[in-house]
Amino acid sequence: MMLFGFTLPLSVAVNNIFAGLIVLLWLFRHSFGDTWRLVKHSRVVQAVLFFYLLHFIGMLWTEDISWGLHMIKKEWALLLLPIMMTLVKREDIRYYISAFLIAMGISVLFSYLVWFEIIPPFLKATVENPTPFISHLSYNPFLAFAVYLTGYYILFDQTLSREKKVFFALFFLGMSINMFITIGRTGQIGYMVMLTLLFFQRYHFNFKSMLYASTAIIAILVMAYSFSPVFQERAELIRHDIREFEKQKNSSIGLRVNFAINSFEIIKENPLIGVGTGDFKQSYEVVNKRNSPEAFTTTQPHNMYILETVQFGILGILALVAIFYFQIRFALKSQDILQQKAGMALAVLFLIIMLGDSYLLGHLTTMLFIYFSSFLYRPFDETDH
């Protein structure tokens, strides 16, 4: 599990190897009874498995069987949740998180080395967008959650020495700056939400926490706009794309707006059970050709809520939201402070970033979600919270 968490931000291929080894270990240990008990007692696991099962059910009314099977294959990582949850140990949670944070530290270090042009760009990195190991689409949400975890240790871990808290504060600052020299706008929004949540968790939901959070976010945005040419350019691009939407639908923002408009038309025609697991692509092509033939088509609308509603109608959106409902319920009722705070944060982060892309369809972000869910929502007393 530590090696899985360590390789998450660094290598898809190596991370998949450790995922396979975790499954083999689970099979070798014959932990089927333990897993079944978890399935019976964990509402989170039940919701995730039902969400995955819905993709099989949706094959009954899909026309594009091939693409439907492709979508089922892309969601396979969800099946790792009950397996990982069986294997995790309460006493090892700190090591699982540390492995992930060490890897994020390595990623941030190399990001700065590329950005300052100390080393040449490599793998996926450019000087303008220094995210070498994984795409910025995944990197910035990873970074947002790493920032939250670091903030959690600073604010809530009473066992940390002053020296370690200073180290974590510097790490927090380094990751926060790194967030705005890369171009993942959804992750940047996730970062601000995580920062706000930290204030609310520290000072509770009152005027003081709202004032602190608002002041911090405004200050960060002003500094990012003033000192980061990349962030300034991306912010101006948003304004331009919104203003010129009718003329330039193939811009970054324009496409997402167009995806949503056309997708809602499909939803209106199929509100109850959707078009099926594999028919988003062809249904969207038909509507796009009719409404906006000059705009690019897509295989998914870059919004998880819209995607599930198009595929499965009302049942799809309810199945998706149920996962996060049970996660939040677990976090609110847990007696463990890490599960309370970080459990809430993981659910909130994904609820927000899924507005900007289908992050439970993307491989790396799904792996991140499953990895942390396996111990943040693990009912260690074998009862549902």
Side-chain angles (χ1 to χ4, degrees):
M1 284 291 292
M2 287 176 61
L3 290 170
F4 182 93
F6 178 76
T7 55
L8 251 178
L10 301 177
S11 171
V12 174
V14 178
N15 186 252
N16 282 338
I17 290 172
F18 285 113
L21 290 174
I22 286 172
V23 174
L24 288 176
L25 176 63
W26 175 75
L27 291 171
F28 179 77
R29 287 182 55 179
H30 301 289
S31 304
F32 315 119
D34 294 337
T35 304
W36 176 242
R37 280 190 291 274
L38 272 172
V39 171
K40 288 194 298 181
H41 290 299
S42 171
R43 297 288 186 266
V44 174
V45 173
Q46 291 170 12
V48 168
L49 292 181
F50 177 77
F51 178 73
Y52 186 67
L53 177 63
L54 188 58
H55 289 72
F56 285 93
I57 298 172
M59 293 292 286
L60 295 175
W61 60 89
T62 197
E63 294 181 9
D64 192 340
I65 300 298
S66 175
W67 193 256
L69 293 173
H70 170 76
M71 295 297 289
I72 289 173
K73 183 180 178 182
K74 284 185 72 68
E75 299 280 17
W76 73 269
L78 296 173
L79 296 177
L80 287 173
L81 179 59
I83 294 173
M84 286 187 171
M85 197 176 274
T86 304
L87 298 177
V88 295
K89 298 179 180 179
R90 187 198 294 268
E91 61 270 22
D92 291 338
I93 290 177
R94 182 179 291 265
Y95 301 117
Y96 305 148
I97 296 175
S98 297
F100 172 75
L101 289 178
I102 290 170
M104 287 303 301
I106 293 171
S107 297
V108 170
L109 173 62
F110 278 100
S111 179
Y112 278 121
L113 291 176
V114 170
W115 191 61
F116 284 115
E117 300 186 61
I118 297 172
I119 63 174
F122 66 100
L123 296 177
K124 300 180 184 296
T126 63
V127 174
E128 295 76 21
N129 187 31
T131 58
F133 300 109
I134 59 177
S135 163
H136 66 271
L137 296 173
S138 299
Y139 178 78
N140 286 67
F142 274 49
L143 198 58
F145 196 58
V147 166
Y148 173 84
L149 291 170
T150 307
Y152 165 84
Y153 282 121
I154 295 170
L155 295 176
F156 302 111
D157 191 337
Q158 303 302 319
T159 67
L160 285 185
S161 64
R162 179 174 297 180
E163 292 77 12
K164 287 182 178 178
K165 290 205 172 188
V166 170
F167 171 78
F168 273 112
L170 293 173
F171 190 26
F172 183 98
L173 179 62
M175 288 191 292
S176 295
I177 295 172
N178 190 247
M179 177 67 73
F180 294 98
I181 65 172
T182 52
I183 66 173
R185 287 177 296 204
T186 303
Q188 290 165 357
I189 294 171
Y191 164 82
M192 289 182 279
V193 170
M194 290 295 93
L195 196 63
T196 303
L197 183 62
L198 279 170
F199 280 112
F200 287 162
Q201 290 180 336
R202 176 63 179 84
Y203 299 107
H204 307 293
F205 191 82
N206 53 34
F207 177 76
K208 180 190 290 188
S209 61
M210 292 178 67
L211 178 64
Y212 286 168
S214 301
T215 303
I217 288 172
I218 292 171
I220 289 168
L221 290 175
V222 169
M223 288 189 291
Y225 189 85
S226 301
F227 297 107
S228 172
V230 171
F231 182 75
Q232 185 180 112
E233 180 183 340
R234 299 288 283 180
E236 291 297 327
L237 188 61
I238 292 174
R239 291 174 56 188
H240 175 269
D241 289 352
I242 293 173
R243 189 170 56 246
E244 300 293 325
F245 168 68
E246 290 298 334
K247 298 177 183 177
Q248 299 182 18
K249 289 187 178 179
N250 287 323
S251 65
S252 177
I253 299 298
L255 280 173
R256 279 172 164 77
V257 173
N258 202 54
F259 294 159
I261 292 172
N262 288 337
S263 295
F264 281 125
E265 186 163 325
I266 303 172
I267 292 169
K268 284 192 296 183
E269 296 171 359
N270 307 272
L272 296 179
I273 60 172
V275 298
T277 308
D279 280 10
F280 175 90
K281 185 173 70 165
Q282 68 177 26
S283 297
Y284 187 87
E285 287 174 355
V286 171
V287 174
N288 189 63
K289 186 175 181 180
R290 183 173 66 233
N291 293 349
S292 49
E294 75 282 7
F296 298 140
T297 187
T298 185
T299 58
Q300 57 102 354
H302 295 270
N303 180 305
M304 196 76 193
Y305 304 103
I306 295 175
L307 175 63
E308 298 310 314
T309 310
V310 171
Q311 288 180 312
F312 311 116
I314 295 172
L315 184 59
I317 190 67
L318 290 176
L320 177 63
V321 172
I323 296 173
F324 301 96
Y325 167 77
F326 287 117
Q327 286 182 330
I328 291 172
R329 192 181 78 165
F330 183 99
L332 290 173
K333 293 186 177 182
S334 177
Q335 300 302 307
D336 181 89
I337 187 170
L338 176 66
Q339 290 185 324
Q340 286 176 20
K341 309 294 186 184
M344 180 66 71
L346 184 67
V348 169
L349 177 63
F350 271 82
L351 281 169
I352 295 299
I353 64 174
M354 288 193 308
L355 290 166
D357 214 329
S358 302
Y359 278 106
L360 283 184
L361 189 65
H363 180 74
L364 279 172
T365 44
T366 303
M367 287 295 202
L368 176 77
F369 181 79
I370 293 303
Y371 179 67
F372 280 95
S373 293
S374 69
F375 52 85
L376 290 180
Y377 310 109
R378 168 64 152 91
F380 285 102
D381 59 356
E382 302 298 335
T383 61
D384 189 29
H385 290 261

Short mmCIF file of all heavy atoms in Angstrom, two decimals, residues 315-344:
data_model
loop_
_atom_site.label_atom_id
_atom_site.label_comp_id
_atom_site.label_asym_id
_atom_site.label_seq_id
_atom_site.Cartn_x
_atom_site.Cartn_y
_atom_site.Cartn_z
N LEU A 315 -31.15 7.98 -12.32
CA LEU A 315 -30.48 6.93 -11.53
C LEU A 315 -28.98 7.14 -11.52
O LEU A 315 -28.32 6.91 -10.50
CB LEU A 315 -30.83 5.56 -12.12
CG LEU A 315 -30.29 4.34 -11.37
CD1 LEU A 315 -30.83 4.32 -9.94
CD2 LEU A 315 -30.66 3.06 -12.09
N GLY A 316 -28.42 7.59 -12.64
CA GLY A 316 -26.98 7.80 -12.73
C GLY A 316 -26.49 8.89 -11.80
O GLY A 316 -25.51 8.70 -11.07
N ILE A 317 -27.17 10.03 -11.81
CA ILE A 317 -26.72 11.13 -10.95
C ILE A 317 -26.92 10.77 -9.47
O ILE A 317 -26.09 11.12 -8.62
CB ILE A 317 -27.43 12.45 -11.32
CG1 ILE A 317 -26.79 13.64 -10.61
CG2 ILE A 317 -28.92 12.39 -11.04
CD1 ILE A 317 -25.41 13.95 -11.05
N LEU A 318 -28.00 10.05 -9.16
CA LEU A 318 -28.22 9.63 -7.77
C LEU A 318 -27.16 8.64 -7.32
O LEU A 318 -26.68 8.71 -6.17
CB LEU A 318 -29.61 9.00 -7.63
CG LEU A 318 -30.80 9.96 -7.74
CD1 LEU A 318 -32.11 9.18 -7.67
CD2 LEU A 318 -30.74 11.03 -6.66
N ALA A 319 -26.77 7.71 -8.20
CA ALA A 319 -25.74 6.73 -7.85
C ALA A 319 -24.40 7.40 -7.60
O ALA A 319 -23.67 7.02 -6.68
CB ALA A 319 -25.61 5.69 -8.97
N LEU A 320 -24.09 8.42 -8.41
CA LEU A 320 -22.82 9.14 -8.22
C LEU A 320 -22.82 9.93 -6.92
O LEU A 320 -21.89 9.83 -6.11
CB LEU A 320 -22.58 10.07 -9.42
CG LEU A 320 -21.32 10.95 -9.34
CD1 LEU A 320 -20.06 10.10 -9.31
CD2 LEU A 320 -21.28 11.92 -10.53
N VAL A 321 -23.86 10.69 -6.71
CA VAL A 321 -23.93 11.54 -5.51
C VAL A 321 -24.00 10.69 -4.24
O VAL A 321 -23.49 11.10 -3.18
CB VAL A 321 -25.14 12.50 -5.60
CG1 VAL A 321 -25.35 13.26 -4.30
CG2 VAL A 321 -24.93 13.48 -6.76
N ALA A 322 -24.59 9.49 -4.32
CA ALA A 322 -24.70 8.61 -3.15
C ALA A 322 -23.32 8.27 -2.57
O ALA A 322 -23.16 8.15 -1.36
CB ALA A 322 -25.45 7.33 -3.51
N ILE A 323 -22.32 8.10 -3.45
CA ILE A 323 -20.97 7.79 -2.97
C ILE A 323 -20.50 8.86 -2.00
O ILE A 323 -20.01 8.58 -0.90
CB ILE A 323 -19.99 7.69 -4.16
CG1 ILE A 323 -20.37 6.53 -5.08
CG2 ILE A 323 -18.55 7.52 -3.65
CD1 ILE A 323 -19.55 6.48 -6.36
N PHE A 324 -20.69 10.11 -2.38
CA PHE A 324 -20.17 11.22 -1.58
C PHE A 324 -21.07 11.50 -0.38
O PHE A 324 -20.59 11.94 0.67
CB PHE A 324 -20.01 12.45 -2.46
CG PHE A 324 -19.07 12.19 -3.60
CD1 PHE A 324 -19.56 11.82 -4.84
CD2 PHE A 324 -17.71 12.24 -3.41
CE1 PHE A 324 -18.69 11.52 -5.88
CE2 PHE A 324 -16.84 11.94 -4.44
CZ PHE A 324 -17.32 11.58 -5.67
N TYR A 325 -22.35 11.20 -0.50
CA TYR A 325 -23.24 11.32 0.65
C TYR A 325 -22.78 10.37 1.77
O TYR A 325 -22.68 10.78 2.93
CB TYR A 325 -24.68 11.00 0.24
CG TYR A 325 -25.60 10.78 1.43
CD1 TYR A 325 -26.09 11.86 2.16
CD2 TYR A 325 -25.95 9.48 1.84
CE1 TYR A 325 -26.91 11.66 3.26
CE2 TYR A 325 -26.77 9.28 2.93
CZ TYR A 325 -27.25 10.36 3.64
OH TYR A 325 -28.06 10.17 4.74
N PHE A 326 -22.50 9.12 1.41
CA PHE A 326 -22.10 8.16 2.43
C PHE A 326 -20.68 8.45 2.95
O PHE A 326 -20.38 8.17 4.12
CB PHE A 326 -22.19 6.74 1.89
CG PHE A 326 -23.61 6.25 1.75
CD1 PHE A 326 -24.14 5.92 0.51
CD2 PHE A 326 -24.43 6.13 2.86
CE1 PHE A 326 -25.45 5.48 0.38
CE2 PHE A 326 -25.75 5.70 2.75
CZ PHE A 326 -26.26 5.38 1.50
N GLN A 327 -19.82 9.00 2.11
CA GLN A 327 -18.50 9.40 2.60
C GLN A 327 -18.62 10.51 3.63
O GLN A 327 -17.98 10.45 4.70
CB GLN A 327 -17.63 9.86 1.43
CG GLN A 327 -17.13 8.74 0.54
CD GLN A 327 -16.23 9.25 -0.56
OE1 GLN A 327 -16.37 10.37 -1.05
NE2 GLN A 327 -15.30 8.42 -1.00
N ILE A 328 -19.41 11.52 3.32
CA ILE A 328 -19.57 12.65 4.24
C ILE A 328 -20.26 12.19 5.52
O ILE A 328 -19.88 12.59 6.62
CB ILE A 328 -20.36 13.78 3.55
CG1 ILE A 328 -19.49 14.41 2.44
CG2 ILE A 328 -20.79 14.83 4.56
CD1 ILE A 328 -20.23 15.41 1.57
N ARG A 329 -21.25 11.32 5.39
CA ARG A 329 -21.93 10.80 6.58
C ARG A 329 -20.95 10.04 7.47
O ARG A 329 -20.96 10.18 8.70
CB ARG A 329 -23.09 9.89 6.18
CG ARG A 329 -24.01 9.57 7.35
CD ARG A 329 -25.14 8.66 6.95
NE ARG A 329 -24.71 7.26 6.84
CZ ARG A 329 -25.55 6.22 6.79
NH1 ARG A 329 -26.85 6.44 6.80
NH2 ARG A 329 -25.10 4.99 6.68
N PHE A 330 -20.10 9.22 6.84
CA PHE A 330 -19.09 8.48 7.60
C PHE A 330 -18.17 9.44 8.33
O PHE A 330 -17.87 9.26 9.52
CB PHE A 330 -18.29 7.57 6.65
CG PHE A 330 -17.27 6.70 7.34
CD1 PHE A 330 -17.55 5.37 7.63
CD2 PHE A 330 -16.03 7.20 7.72
CE1 PHE A 330 -16.62 4.56 8.27
CE2 PHE A 330 -15.09 6.41 8.37
CZ PHE A 330 -15.39 5.09 8.64
N ALA A 331 -17.68 10.47 7.60
CA ALA A 331 -16.75 11.43 8.19
C ALA A 331 -17.38 12.16 9.38
O ALA A 331 -16.74 12.34 10.43
CB ALA A 331 -16.28 12.43 7.14
N LEU A 332 -18.62 12.55 9.25
CA LEU A 332 -19.30 13.29 10.33
C LEU A 332 -19.50 12.45 11.57
O LEU A 332 -19.48 12.96 12.70
CB LEU A 332 -20.65 13.80 9.83
CG LEU A 332 -20.61 14.93 8.79
CD1 LEU A 332 -22.02 15.22 8.27
CD2 LEU A 332 -20.01 16.20 9.38
N LYS A 333 -19.67 11.13 11.39
CA LYS A 333 -19.95 10.25 12.53
C LYS A 333 -18.71 9.57 13.10
O LYS A 333 -18.77 8.99 14.19
CB LYS A 333 -20.96 9.19 12.12
CG LYS A 333 -22.34 9.75 11.82
CD LYS A 333 -23.35 8.64 11.56
CE LYS A 333 -24.76 9.20 11.33
NZ LYS A 333 -25.75 8.13 11.12
N SER A 334 -17.60 9.64 12.37
CA SER A 334 -16.39 8.94 12.83
C SER A 334 -15.84 9.58 14.11
O SER A 334 -15.89 10.80 14.29
CB SER A 334 -15.33 8.97 11.73
OG SER A 334 -14.13 8.37 12.19
N GLN A 335 -15.28 8.75 14.97
CA GLN A 335 -14.63 9.22 16.19
C GLN A 335 -13.15 9.52 15.98
O GLN A 335 -12.49 10.06 16.86
CB GLN A 335 -14.79 8.18 17.31
CG GLN A 335 -16.23 7.88 17.67
CD GLN A 335 -16.99 9.11 18.10
OE1 GLN A 335 -16.56 9.83 19.00
NE2 GLN A 335 -18.14 9.37 17.47
N ASP A 336 -12.65 9.16 14.80
CA ASP A 336 -11.23 9.37 14.48
C ASP A 336 -11.07 10.73 13.80
O ASP A 336 -11.74 11.01 12.81
CB ASP A 336 -10.74 8.25 13.56
CG ASP A 336 -9.27 8.40 13.20
OD1 ASP A 336 -8.43 7.87 13.94
OD2 ASP A 336 -8.97 9.06 12.18
N ILE A 337 -10.17 11.58 14.31
CA ILE A 337 -10.08 12.95 13.80
C ILE A 337 -9.59 12.99 12.36
O ILE A 337 -10.04 13.83 11.57
CB ILE A 337 -9.17 13.81 14.72
CG1 ILE A 337 -9.22 15.28 14.27
CG2 ILE A 337 -7.74 13.30 14.72
CD1 ILE A 337 -8.57 16.23 15.24
N LEU A 338 -8.68 12.08 11.98
CA LEU A 338 -8.21 12.06 10.60
C LEU A 338 -9.35 11.69 9.66
O LEU A 338 -9.54 12.32 8.61
CB LEU A 338 -7.05 11.07 10.43
CG LEU A 338 -6.54 10.89 9.00
CD1 LEU A 338 -5.90 12.18 8.49
CD2 LEU A 338 -5.54 9.74 8.91
N GLN A 339 -10.12 10.66 10.02
CA GLN A 339 -11.26 10.28 9.19
C GLN A 339 -12.32 11.38 9.15
O GLN A 339 -12.95 11.60 8.11
CB GLN A 339 -11.86 8.97 9.69
CG GLN A 339 -10.97 7.75 9.44
CD GLN A 339 -11.65 6.44 9.83
OE1 GLN A 339 -12.39 6.38 10.80
NE2 GLN A 339 -11.38 5.40 9.07
N GLN A 340 -12.50 12.10 10.26
CA GLN A 340 -13.43 13.22 10.28
C GLN A 340 -13.00 14.31 9.30
O GLN A 340 -13.78 14.72 8.43
CB GLN A 340 -13.49 13.85 11.67
CG GLN A 340 -14.23 13.07 12.72
CD GLN A 340 -14.11 13.77 14.07
OE1 GLN A 340 -13.81 14.97 14.16
NE2 GLN A 340 -14.33 13.02 15.14
N LYS A 341 -11.77 14.79 9.46
CA LYS A 341 -11.31 15.96 8.71
C LYS A 341 -10.94 15.61 7.27
O LYS A 341 -11.47 16.20 6.32
CB LYS A 341 -10.10 16.59 9.41
CG LYS A 341 -10.27 16.88 10.89
CD LYS A 341 -11.31 17.94 11.15
CE LYS A 341 -11.35 18.32 12.64
NZ LYS A 341 -12.41 19.28 12.96
N ALA A 342 -10.00 14.67 7.10
CA ALA A 342 -9.55 14.33 5.75
C ALA A 342 -10.62 13.59 4.97
O ALA A 342 -10.69 13.70 3.74
CB ALA A 342 -8.27 13.49 5.82
N GLY A 343 -11.46 12.82 5.68
CA GLY A 343 -12.58 12.15 5.02
C GLY A 343 -13.54 13.15 4.40
O GLY A 343 -14.04 12.96 3.29
N MET A 344 -13.81 14.22 5.12
CA MET A 344 -14.64 15.29 4.58
C MET A 344 -13.94 15.96 3.38
O MET A 344 -14.56 16.25 2.35
CB MET A 344 -14.94 16.32 5.67
CG MET A 344 -15.80 17.48 5.21
SD MET A 344 -17.48 16.99 4.76
CE MET A 344 -18.13 16.60 6.39
#
